[in-house]
Amino acid sequence: MMEKEDDENYGDYERGIEIEGLLDGNEENGRYLSGLSDRSMAHTKPLLVKRINTTSQIAIVGANLSPIESLDYEIFYNEILKHDWRSRKKSQTIQYVVLKWGFALLIGLGTGLVGFFNSYAVENIAGFKLLMTTTLMSKNRYLEAFLAYAGVNICLAAAAAALCAFIAPAAAGSGIPEVKAYLNGVDAHYILAPSTLFVKIFGSILGVSAGFVVGKEGPMVHTGACIASLLGQGGSRKYHLTCSWLRFFKNDRDRRDMITCGAAAGVAAAFRAPVGGVLFALEEAASWWRSALLWRTFFTTAVVAVVLRVAIQFCATGKCGLFGEGGLIMYDVGSANITYSAVDIFAVLLLGAVGGILGSIYNYLVDKVVRTYSIVNEKGPAFKISLVVTIALLTSCCFYFLPWVAHCIPCPSDSTSACPSSDESGEYQNFQCPPGYYNDLASLFLNTNDDAIRNLFSPKIIKEFHISSLFIYFATIYCLGIITYGIAIPSGLFIPVILAGATYGRLVSRIFELITTLDRGLFALLGAASFLGGTMRMTVSICVILLELTNDLLLLPLVMLVLLVSKTVADSFNKGVYDLILQIKGLPYLEAHAEPYMKNLVAGDVVSGPLITFSGIEKVGIIWHALSATGHNGFPVIDEPPFTDAPELCGLVLRSHLLVLLKEKIFSNDKNFIDQSSFQRISALDFGKAGSGKGIKLEDLDIDEEDMDMYVDLHPITNASPYTVVETMPLAKAAIIFRQHGLRHMCVVPKSQGRPPVVGILTRHDFMPEHVLGLYPHIKSQKQSLGISVKNILSSVLKCCIH
């Protein structure tokens, strides 16, 4: 992880000005980067395997370093906004409501179409590759079959890596951690850009078609969020996709709601699980929720379900090429035996407990792999592509050569499916076997991921998979899933975890086959649930998604039981995989709960100075120099005599609002209040949040020497009701308030009179454990002792599993 500096809090003025160009104005209010010597040089060092992560204004987004900043989810009450509300017509209010529901419809349509296109493309590309390979093998041209199989995989993988390396590095990876961070209040360049959307769609298609142990489900969440963002910011001015009537949504709050709908739509499109998509957004993605958003999210996922249903009916006519059942048809576990005894419950409990341990080990190893790959990815595009090609070649060799160690098995006499299979994706692959025989490992390896899951879940296949073949497949998928995540391609974790979990469930069913009556396919489903609970740490959404995938509510009690057990066991060792990735990438994510040590600290303990403030009526030159010398995004405004009897906090003004005011040159020669009529030439829409890269910059202003000596009245653009906390408030309580209200700035005021009206400002960074524990090392040592003991336990478990 890159060693990062604490640049969101107020700090020393004399330090760090030289690198203000690096952050390009993305520092939070008030603290300059400190330590240009050894500490600042850490920005150029790679993410080392054992380096402790700290948070700052630079984080890893996708596969590259990117500057980040907080979002303004708070409603900024100032005189201009109040005047806009008072003058707004009823027709405009109706238009705003209609547009919100219209956007939900468009997000659902767009995400549903992209989801179908992804499945259609993957099934046809991968189907053609597998058909070519099996055709060559049927002619005993085994070497040519391998060269064709591996060659196509490498070409597809290189194309996906090139898209990520040269066009949109932010598209690499799952995208779910970045979407979670955005909905938590963290923004980064290109995280939801049109270029990222393009690469996410086509890179995911190429990566999944290349045979990687990855899924398209995580990228679909990111894709849905990108579609929602593109609509919410009024299109893209860079790509000439703009609409003036979208001006009502020029704020982070409305964009946050639409991106939440997009994330839910992505899950619905990936799994054909509309209710699961809503619950995923509620449980995992969104940090703020309300009933009105629930209705719109549900409507969005319902639109996705309708789009996918229409697409399936269209493909049923045979007009979709090799696209057969694909990833849009539910997995069949409907004929599973749903009666169970005490012995069955014991087997299920053991399945969940071991699945939780294996899931936590999976997360532990993914953490190490992502940290290691970051060293390679920082060396440039050539190294990114080389790493991807290497993993593609390794995957191709495993998938092609491992089936050779399996024995040919006679075709079952009572099978309802053709044996050996006559198409490119079937339950009984012939591979190198003579007529009348099939290769069970080839039926898993030489198939698309969706078809492999379908074979593992199928209740019709009872003993067709030999226990040794299941063990080989489980070990291969488990290891390849770990080493594949982190390379520079769009890659999801759901499918690798489901594959490994379903195979693990099949293995357990063979072990308990003498004492349990549960179906093999049901065990595979429960194994997948245990792995998902052990890695993702979600319960309700995963439960509903699996039930929607299998279309059988009778499985609900067992799935719930397995998820609860696996999550409880896994939580004893480490965090969920997405939380670990957020920490690795340095994204300052605020948890819903405060850390226990925060109860022993107060808000004033983490505030540092000096503080940069403006007077209610300030000189243009002072504002100009403050904006040019710093990258702060928020400044307290203080009213002083003769306008007040004593200095008092007037409110908070944003950097972006100051730039608009300076651009319009609403100045006066005297230090007096400006007449409200002077502000009639600007409206609340001028202060709306611009899209990525569209906002006014300091270089765009035309301020001459004469303007520098003039005055500007900041009262009309000042938020006169900022959130304030007294300096003696417990830090834990302040953290909860900060997160629940989606704040970017929180003013700390003194407890006693006779002091300056504001002590400092709390920002997101001030609540980060890395910052707080850095200020108070004695707390850090206590927490590390507990963490080390947990890591030792996990390492011991891992060694036992290896031996």
Side-chain angles (χ1 to χ4, degrees):
M1 182 64 212
M2 293 293 297
E3 185 85 9
K4 302 186 191 320
E5 299 306 312
D6 306 332
D7 54 8
E8 285 196 64
N9 205 356
Y10 284 91
D12 298 333
Y13 182 90
E14 60 270 19
R15 300 181 185 174
I17 296 179
E18 292 88 342
I19 59 174
E20 52 124 69
L22 171 66
L23 296 183
D24 192 25
N26 284 316
E27 294 174 81
E28 282 299 351
N29 54 80
R31 182 177 165 302
Y32 296 93
L33 285 173
S34 60
L36 289 180
S37 55
D38 295 338
R39 294 181 66 196
S40 64
M41 288 301 294
H43 286 290
T44 63
K45 296 179 182 179
L47 184 148
L48 300 179
V49 177
K50 295 185 179 180
R51 176 165 297 199
I52 298 175
N53 169 46
T54 58
T55 56
S56 77
Q57 297 300 7
I58 300 178
I60 297 178
V61 178
N64 274 18
L65 283 175
S66 173
I68 60 173
E69 64 178 48
S70 295
L71 295 166
D72 294 307
Y73 288 153
E74 178 188 1
I75 297 178
F76 212 77
Y77 292 99
N78 56 35
E79 291 301 324
I80 293 180
L81 181 63
K82 291 178 182 178
H83 175 73
D84 178 71
W85 283 350
R86 288 192 296 264
S87 60
R88 186 171 293 185
K89 300 177 182 178
K90 186 176 181 180
S91 59
Q92 292 177 314
T93 304
I94 295 175
Q95 182 184 11
Y96 170 70
V97 174
V98 171
L99 281 176
K100 286 199 297 187
W101 286 94
F103 278 143
L105 174 65
L106 292 177
I107 293 168
L109 287 172
T111 309
L113 291 173
V114 170
F116 168 70
F117 174 71
N118 276 7
S119 296
Y120 169 81
V122 167
E123 289 291 319
N124 276 278
I125 296 174
F128 172 78
K129 175 190 67 178
L130 295 172
L131 185 61
M132 178 177 60
T133 304
T134 54
T135 301
L136 290 173
M137 293 197 68
S138 65
K139 300 178 182 177
N140 297 328
R141 298 160 63 179
Y142 299 121
L143 179 60
E144 294 180 28
F146 170 72
L147 293 177
Y149 179 74
V152 172
N153 284 345
I154 290 174
C155 290
L156 293 172
L163 288 175
C164 283
F166 294 108
I167 298 179
S174 168
I176 292 179
E178 284 81 0
V179 173
K180 278 189 64 175
Y182 186 94
L183 295 177
N184 191 258
V186 180
D187 193 14
H189 291 312
Y190 304 110
I191 188 174
L192 299 173
S195 59
T196 304
L197 173 62
F198 172 82
V199 174
K200 207 72 181 183
I201 294 173
F202 291 96
S204 176
I205 291 172
L206 294 171
V208 175
S209 301
F212 284 117
V213 185
V214 298
K216 55 182 180 293
E217 287 69 24
M220 273 305 305
V221 174
H222 198 175
T223 298
C226 289
I227 293 173
S229 176
L230 185 63
L231 292 171
Q233 67 181 10
S236 172
R237 188 174 301 173
K238 179 180 178 181
Y239 298 99
H240 305 290
L241 299 172
T242 58
C243 297
S244 59
W245 46 274
L246 303 181
R247 61 188 182 275
F248 295 117
F249 299 91
K250 295 291 186 179
N251 62 85
D252 289 329
R253 288 176 63 88
D254 285 317
R255 291 182 189 174
R256 176 190 68 190
D257 291 348
M258 285 191 289
I259 289 170
T260 302
C261 292
V267 174
F271 291 107
R272 198 179 159 204
V275 179
V278 175
L279 293 175
F280 173 84
L282 171 62
E283 182 179 7
E284 183 69 12
S287 295
W288 295 277
W289 197 263
R290 61 185 190 277
S291 58
L293 181 59
L294 175 65
W295 280 101
R296 268 190 287 151
T297 306
F298 185 73
F299 173 70
T300 305
T301 56
V303 173
V304 173
V306 172
V307 170
L308 294 181
R309 187 65 210 172
V310 172
I312 291 173
Q313 291 179 344
F314 173 76
C315 286
T317 61
K319 298 179 181 179
C320 296
L322 296 177
F323 180 80
E325 293 185 342
L328 299 180
I329 299 297
M330 300 176 183
Y331 300 122
D332 179 21
V333 195
S335 60
N337 184 4
I338 48 91
T339 60
Y340 37 87
S341 61
V343 177
D344 298 327
I345 296 296
F346 171 77
V348 169
L349 290 174
L350 182 63
L351 178 84
V354 177
I357 295 174
L358 292 174
S360 61
I361 295 174
Y362 192 95
N363 292 357
Y364 176 81
L365 295 176
V366 164
D367 178 281
K368 302 304 178 185
V369 168
V370 171
R371 291 178 181 272
T372 305
Y373 283 172
S374 295
I375 302 175
V376 179
N377 290 336
E378 283 189 350
K379 294 178 185 278
F383 288 88
K384 293 180 183 179
I385 297 175
S386 299
L387 178 61
V388 171
V389 169
T390 301
I391 300 298
L393 180 59
L394 175 63
T395 303
S396 300
C397 291
C398 291
F399 280 26
Y400 185 83
F401 290 114
L402 283 178
W404 290 88
V405 304
H407 299 288
C408 293
I409 303 175
C411 291
S413 57
D414 57 347
S415 174
T416 58
S417 303
C419 183
S421 301
S422 56
D423 57 0
E424 74 284 351
S425 59
E427 300 173 0
Y428 305 101
Q429 292 291 335
N430 182 258
F431 202 61
Q432 87 291 8
C433 296
Y437 289 80
Y438 73 96
N439 187 309
D440 56 347
L441 263 181
S443 301
L444 295 173
F445 279 123
L446 294 181
N447 251 327
T448 62
N449 292 334
D450 288 331
D451 286 325
I453 294 174
R454 186 172 292 106
N455 291 343
L456 290 168
F457 279 2
S458 176
K460 304 178 218 177
I461 303 177
I462 301 176
K463 292 186 178 181
E464 278 76 357
F465 297 119
H466 195 272
I467 191 169
S468 61
S469 298
L470 290 172
F471 181 80
I472 293 173
Y473 186 71
F474 169 75
T476 304
I477 294 299
Y478 191 88
C479 295
L480 286 178
I482 292 170
I483 66 172
T484 303
Y485 193 82
I487 60 177
I489 62 168
S491 54
L493 279 172
F494 272 96
I495 289 299
V497 171
I498 292 176
L499 271 174
T503 311
Y504 157 70
R506 279 269 178 178
L507 274 170
V508 173
S509 72
R510 297 300 298 270
I511 295 174
F512 287 95
E513 62 182 347
L514 297 178
I515 60 175
T516 182
T517 59
L518 294 180
D519 186 86
R520 303 288 181 265
L522 176 56
F523 260 108
L525 174 68
L526 296 178
S530 70
F531 260 55
L532 288 170
T535 54
M536 311 291 181
R537 310 297 163 83
M538 293 178 281
T539 53
V540 179
S541 56
I542 292 296
C543 181
V544 174
I545 287 172
L546 289 176
L547 293 179
E548 289 185 287
L549 278 174
T550 56
N551 197 24
D552 193 345
L553 285 176
L554 297 177
L555 307 177
L556 178 62
L558 293 179
V559 175
M560 291 176 63
L561 183 62
V562 165
L563 283 170
L564 290 172
V565 171
S566 62
K567 173 177 167 52
T568 302
V569 172
D571 281 340
S572 303
F573 296 103
N574 52 25
K575 295 181 179 180
V577 64
Y578 295 130
D579 294 325
L580 289 176
I581 294 172
L582 280 169
Q583 185 176 3
I584 293 171
K585 291 176 176 288
L587 293 166
Y589 184 86
L590 286 176
E591 298 288 349
H593 61 277
E595 296 290 343
Y597 58 79
M598 289 185 177
K599 298 178 182 178
N600 302 321
L601 300 171
V602 296
D605 291 336
V606 296
V607 171
S608 56
L611 185 64
I612 298 178
T613 64
F614 292 138
S615 298
I617 301 175
E618 190 60 270
K619 253 190 176 183
V620 174
I622 294 178
I623 298 176
W624 170 271
H625 289 299
L627 294 180
S628 60
T630 74
H632 308 163
N633 277 303
F635 301 89
V637 177
I638 308 296
D639 276 335
E640 300 173 335
F643 302 103
T644 56
D645 295 333
E648 63 180 34
L649 177 63
C650 175
L652 193 76
V653 64
L654 295 181
R655 179 189 185 93
S656 58
H657 293 183
L658 287 171
L659 291 173
V660 173
L661 202 61
L662 294 179
K663 183 180 180 182
E664 296 297 330
K665 292 190 175 183
I666 305 178
F667 307 149
S668 64
N669 294 320
D670 302 321
K671 192 174 183 179
N672 292 315
F673 293 104
I674 295 181
D675 185 18
Q676 295 298 322
S677 60
S678 302
F679 287 89
Q680 290 182 356
R681 65 173 183 261
I682 58 176
S683 67
L685 297 177
D686 296 320
F687 295 93
K689 178 70 177 288
S692 179
K694 301 178 187 176
I696 301 174
K697 295 181 175 58
L698 196 63
E699 300 79 30
D700 301 330
L701 303 183
D702 183 20
I703 304 295
D704 53 33
E705 290 296 329
E706 183 179 350
D707 295 330
M708 291 290 187
D709 295 326
M710 301 186 75
Y711 293 90
V712 58
D713 185 3
L714 301 182
H715 292 92
I717 65 169
T718 298
N719 180 11
S721 56
Y723 282 86
T724 59
V725 295
V726 68
E727 60 183 341
T728 55
M729 175 180 283
L731 187 62
K733 188 175 181 180
I736 296 299
I737 294 174
F738 193 94
R739 196 221 191 234
Q740 286 182 345
H741 293 277
L743 303 182
R744 186 176 188 178
H745 313 96
M746 178 184 282
C747 295
V748 180
V749 297
K751 183 178 181 180
S752 58
Q753 297 181 353
R755 298 171 57 191
V758 58
V759 176
I761 290 185
L762 291 176
T763 62
R764 173 177 298 269
H765 171 75
D766 295 300
F767 300 103
M768 291 293 105
E770 293 79 13
H771 172 64
V772 179
L773 298 178
L775 294 175
Y776 301 96
H778 64 282
I779 300 178
K780 185 175 183 179
S781 61
Q782 296 173 5
K783 186 178 180 182
Q784 277 186 338
S785 61
L786 178 61
I788 290 173
S789 62
V790 172
K791 286 185 178 180
N792 289 338
I793 295 174
L794 187 58
S795 299
S796 301
V797 173
L798 180 59
K799 290 178 181 178
C800 292
C801 293
I802 293 175
H803 293 298

